[in-house]
Amino acid sequence: MKDETVIILFVLNAVLAAGGVLSAVLAALRPSALAPEGAEGAGVLFYARMYAAKAVPLCLLAAVIPFLATGVVPGLCLLGAALSQAVDAAIGLGRRDPRQAVGSAAATVVHTLVAVLIW
């Protein structure tokens, strides 16, 4: 693969991962912004914050690892991020939320491609 294509994929990977960070932070601060069907109360806020506590570090790792390392372990980190995004996409499909489904599916594909490239 050409160097320009690899750089574009790495940057796209970082942008999609940053989108995951922003979504997780938004969900933690205002759950109703992402789940409008009655997302209120202490329980919803608790679970949104738990999700963000896991999603933010994973997305940050997915964003930067291709620029820092290659090999099996970084590739596995990206595959873990891809799996997480695939589950988010499935949840989005189940909720009939095209924003969540499409964004997460795109991140799944790009994380997987980059994982293969750096492996």
Side-chain angles (χ1 to χ4, degrees):
M1 201 172 278
K2 290 187 176 185
D3 288 342
E4 299 86 27
T5 305
V6 171
I7 291 170
I8 290 169
L9 278 172
F10 281 19
V11 171
L12 181 58
N13 180 72
V15 168
L16 290 168
V21 169
L22 291 175
S23 293
V25 170
L26 179 60
L29 297 175
R30 292 191 49 219
S32 62
L34 297 178
E37 70 275 348
E40 298 172 14
V44 173
L45 185 58
F46 171 75
Y47 283 106
R49 288 181 176 167
M50 278 185 37
Y51 169 77
K54 293 170 181 64
V56 169
L58 185 58
C59 288
L60 290 174
L61 178 66
V64 301
I65 204 158
F67 297 104
L68 301 178
T70 60
V72 174
V73 173
L76 288 174
C77 290
L78 278 168
L79 289 179
L83 178 61
S84 176
Q85 290 291 352
V87 172
D88 282 352
I91 292 168
L93 283 173
R95 292 180 61 229
R96 290 178 168 71
D97 183 348
R99 293 178 307 161
Q100 181 180 0
V102 171
S104 295
T108 300
V109 171
V110 173
H111 289 341
T112 302
L113 286 172
V114 174
V116 170
L117 281 173
I118 67 170
W119 203 300

